[in-house]
Amino acid sequence: MKIVVDDKIPYIREALAKITPDVVYLRGMDMGAADVRDADALIVRTRTRCDERLLGGSSVKFIATATIGFDHLDTGYLARAGISWANCPGCNAGSVAQYLRSALLLLQRDCGLRLAGATLGVVGCGHVGGKVCDVGRSLGMRVLACDPPVGAPGYVCLDEIALRADVITFHVPLTDSGPYATRHLADSRFFASLGRRPFVVNTSRGAVVDNQALKAALLEGRVRQAVVDTWENEPDIDPELLRLVYIGTPHIAGYSADGKVNADNMAIDALCRFFHLPNPGPIAPPPLPAGFAYTGDPLQLYDPLADSRRLKAAPAMFEELRGNYPLRRESFA
């Protein structure tokens, strides 16, 4: 069998070589119809739009996306074409939670946020949002959880988040239709309704937050400061918004080695189950460099300001910074 794989998915090559010798690695953004025409399976990231334009007339039977989100998959077309697919829910939840913890600590250190007693509004409480709620509580914050599809006691509406939260963080998928569509969930109306001058964080999908509305809210002082990891029109992001935000990173909140290995293992497991193949065994993340002495400071393991400085210095390098991301571990192990 032939598998075409995004060449920026790390740690996966040895395992795939045990499944088949016919594996082709390509830049995700550059995958074209000719590249996948005779493939049996694809393993992709968000940069590959899997639709009829790419897959029409191909022999592809299965797609694994090594990501939580799957808005880059045209699921309607895949169903009509008889192409099965799998994503990796929760694979990088720990990594995003680490990013949030570090960002909150930095906002406290540099931007006047007092974590103890502050109110954290978490919009989207699935695998990632649930861990972010735990992070907030561990830092002494009051947590307001908003997840309209859940509709259970203990959850609040988005209007209450806007009114009461000191920090608002988004962890929803990007959807365009249905009763809970999330595109521009945080729009100009949302920012006009803010009851406080909150800090706003987006690590979900860029278009969940209307970037122009966020920029206006920052310039008008409605939002005190922002942390943005996901942007509209990636990789061609708004340079003015990048300059305005306290932390701006190139869509890497979920890019710990631990999260990437989780995605690798989930994608390979799904591939093997679909084709009834033996699983080559789990991939493990690489260790931290020899001599690393952890002091217990979470910022020692990960400081997102370092990623932000690199992006702000070279916004045109967004894709390269994302694709060649350095080793980051979630724990000292």
Side-chain angles (χ1 to χ4, degrees):
M1 64 182 297
K2 179 178 180 178
I3 308 173
V4 177
V5 184
D6 186 310
D7 67 359
K8 297 305 182 185
I9 297 175
Y11 317 128
I12 201 171
R13 297 190 180 215
E14 183 177 349
L16 289 179
K18 295 176 181 177
I19 296 173
T20 175
D22 196 0
V23 185
V24 176
Y25 294 91
L26 298 171
R27 188 169 183 255
M29 294 182 72
D30 296 338
M31 283 188 195
D35 301 312
V36 306
R37 185 168 293 118
D38 60 346
D40 298 287
L42 310 181
I43 302 179
V44 301
R45 301 182 305 148
T46 57
R47 290 301 187 252
T48 304
R49 176 67 180 167
C50 295
D51 54 13
E52 186 172 9
R53 182 176 179 180
L54 177 68
L55 300 161
S58 77
S59 58
V60 173
K61 305 174 189 67
F62 178 79
I63 299 170
T65 180
T67 59
I68 291 177
F70 53 90
D71 48 281
H72 53 295
L73 307 183
D74 185 341
T75 56
Y77 168 73
L78 297 183
R80 293 192 301 274
I83 300 172
S84 297
W85 61 274
N87 65 323
C88 300
C91 64
N92 61 3
S95 180
V96 178
Q98 178 191 45
Y99 182 100
L100 260 292
R101 180 184 292 277
S102 294
L104 289 169
L105 292 171
L106 289 166
L107 288 170
Q108 176 173 252
R109 189 190 73 184
D110 297 341
C111 301
L113 172 64
R114 299 182 64 178
L115 291 173
T119 299
L120 175 67
V122 181
V123 184
C125 296
H127 293 284
V128 176
K131 284 187 177 290
V132 170
C133 289
D134 293 340
V135 166
R137 295 186 186 103
S138 75
L139 294 172
M141 305 180 79
R142 293 187 295 266
V143 175
L144 297 178
C146 172
D147 202 328
V150 174
Y155 289 85
V156 303
C157 65
L158 188 61
D159 288 343
E160 189 166 350
I161 294 282
L163 188 65
R164 295 176 52 195
D166 299 296
V167 180
I168 303 172
T169 181
F170 293 90
H171 303 284
V172 297
L174 179 62
T175 57
D176 289 292
S177 60
Y180 306 115
T182 61
R183 183 176 294 276
H184 286 186
L185 186 66
D187 57 9
S188 56
R189 186 209 64 81
F190 173 82
F191 289 115
S193 72
L194 296 174
R196 305 184 182 185
R197 291 182 61 236
F199 299 89
V200 171
V201 182
N202 187 22
T203 61
S204 57
R205 286 291 185 266
V208 167
V209 174
D210 181 333
N211 283 199
Q212 296 306 305
L214 173 60
K215 184 164 66 175
L218 283 165
L219 290 169
E220 294 164 4
R222 294 179 182 273
V223 168
R224 189 168 175 183
Q225 209 19 294
V227 174
V228 179
D229 180 60
T230 54
W231 310 73
E232 292 194 274
N233 305 313
E234 293 178 10
D236 300 317
I237 65 174
D238 184 332
E240 184 180 7
L241 180 58
L242 177 61
R243 286 193 296 271
L244 287 171
V245 301
Y246 167 58
I247 295 174
T249 50
H251 201 151
I252 48 73
Y255 265 36
S256 71
D258 308 71
K260 291 180 178 183
V261 163
N262 288 339
D264 289 351
N265 286 325
M266 293 171 76
I268 289 173
D269 183 61
L271 176 84
C272 291
R273 280 188 284 108
F274 179 82
F275 288 103
H276 306 290
L277 299 169
N279 194 307
I283 303 166
L288 287 164
F292 181 88
Y294 183 47
T295 65
D297 179 2
L299 293 174
Q300 184 188 10
L301 274 174
Y302 178 55
D303 181 349
L305 276 176
D307 288 327
S308 182
R309 284 191 289 268
R310 284 189 284 268
L311 181 61
K312 289 190 175 191
M317 296 290 289
F318 187 103
E319 205 65 17
E320 287 75 12
L321 292 169
R322 187 171 189 246
N324 298 289
Y325 193 64
L327 175 66
R328 167 181 149 208
R329 293 297 309 273
E330 293 173 25
S331 62
F332 179 50

